[in-house]
């Protein structure tokens, strides 16, 4: 039998933790609960979960501090972290993402949304990548031949757009802030305005066309995400 994916819930409010745990259990996950940073660390030392749901406001060390520490640790750095936060300010979201969170959910949230986010970070942990080829939905990118195809149609991309798409596809389903994209695609030794990212995302969408272009979502106040969960092309391309 396949092992159920483990989810560590770090949350000091027991009512919220319990609600999350019940929903996870009913949907094929194995939740464990830690109510503060010390017990969360003990859980992590004992067994690595597949996903961590991390509350921002905890007694003692904050979720933000924990996320930074876990990202800096070789053993825990690959475990996806979804921050749970009552803060919806743009600066707070960016701080969460910059601390290494893969995604965040603003309280109050629907359990449906929470489950969707958990599934999404699990999916992106195992991208379909063999050699230089990465495929998401009908979109394929081969970094050994510099070819990008959508529904087997060859697409023409500039070098920066290619690098950007390569990064987004190999780190799909997670939100990347503009500064993260600059660091990872352009290199952090280069000084470029964050607006440059928007320009290249726009060019990339144009090069991909309406259907494939709509796989790159703008996450308001946070950044960009490449997702296989494409909405109707006409609807999702409006206003981008
Ligand atoms: Ca809390």
């Amino acid at each position: 039998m396949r092992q159920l994916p483990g989810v560590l819930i770090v949350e000091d409010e027991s009512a919220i933790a319990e609600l999350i745990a019940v929903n996870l259990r009913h949907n094929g996950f194995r939740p464990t609960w830690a109510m503060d940073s010390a017990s969360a660390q003990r859980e992590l030392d004992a067994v690595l979960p597949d996903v961590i749901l991390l509350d921002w406001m905890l007694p003692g060390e904050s979720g933000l501090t924990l996320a930074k520490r876990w990202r800096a640790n070789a053993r825990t750095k690959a475990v996806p972290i979804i921050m749970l936060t009552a803060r919806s300010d743009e600066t707070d979201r960016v701080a969460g993402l910059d601390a290494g969170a893969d995604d965040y959910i603003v309280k109050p949230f629907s359990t449906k949304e929470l489950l969707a986010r958990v599934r999404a970070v699990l999916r992106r942990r195992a991208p379909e990548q063999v050699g230089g080829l990465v495929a998401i939905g009908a979109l394929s990118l081969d970094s050994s031949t510099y070819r990008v195809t959508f529904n087997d149609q060859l697409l023409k991309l500039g070098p920066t757009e290619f690098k950007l798409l390569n990064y987004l596809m190999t780190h799909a389903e997670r939100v990347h802030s503009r500064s993260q994209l600059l660091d990872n695609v352009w290199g952090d030794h280069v000084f470029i305005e964050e607006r440059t990212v928007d320009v290249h995302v726009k060019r990339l969408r144009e090069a991909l066309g309406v259907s494939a272009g709509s796989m790159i979502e703008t996450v308001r106040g946070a950044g960009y995400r490449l997702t296989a969960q494409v909405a109707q092309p006409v609807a999702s391309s409006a206003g981008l």
Side-chain angles (χ1 to χ4, degrees), residues 201-223:
V201 167
K202 183 167 180 281
R203 282 189 200 153
L204 175 57
R205 284 188 180 128
E206 283 165 4
L208 292 175
V210 173
S211 299
S214 69
M215 291 171 75
I216 300 171
E217 292 181 337
T218 303
V219 181
R220 198 178 287 254

Side-chain angles (χ1 to χ4, degrees), residues 32-51:
T32 46
W33 174 36
M35 64 185 305
D36 54 36
S37 58
S39 47
Q41 189 62 55
R42 271 197 303 277
E43 289 288 342
L44 275 189
D45 291 343
V47 60
L48 278 187
D50 294 284
V51 183

Side-chain angles (χ1 to χ4, degrees), residues 11-13 55 57-58 107:
E11 166 64 80
D12 57 311
E13 283 161 83
D55 188 29
M57 298 296 278
L58 292 166
K107 291 177 181 177

Side-chain angles (χ1 to χ4, degrees), residues 46 48 54 98 100 146 154 174 196:
L48 278 187
L54 179 59
D98 282 345
Y146 273 76
L154 193 63
R174 67 177 281 187
T196 306

Side-chain angles (χ1 to χ4, degrees), residues 91-170:
T91 49
D92 290 333
R93 290 187 216 176
V94 173
L97 295 170
D98 282 345
D102 293 80
D103 205 349
Y104 60 86
I105 303 178
V106 178
K107 291 177 181 177
F109 49 82
S110 78
T111 48
K112 230 174 149 179
E113 182 189 3
L114 179 108
L115 289 166
R117 298 290 178 95
V118 169
R119 290 194 186 101
V121 292
L122 283 174
R123 263 198 312 274
R124 74 134 184 99
R125 278 187 89 201
E128 196 187 314
Q129 189 165 26
V130 184
L133 189 73
V134 53
I136 293 171
L139 187 63
S140 300
L141 177 146
D142 190 338
S143 54
S144 56
T145 58
Y146 273 76
R147 281 165 65 94
V148 176
T149 60
F150 184 70
N151 284 329
D152 298 322
Q153 294 284 313
L154 193 63
L155 302 173
K156 206 167 147 29
L157 265 64
T160 303
E161 285 70 52
F162 184 89
K163 275 167 73 179
L164 180 59
L165 182 64
N166 190 18
Y167 183 78
L168 289 171
M169 287 183 76
T170 50

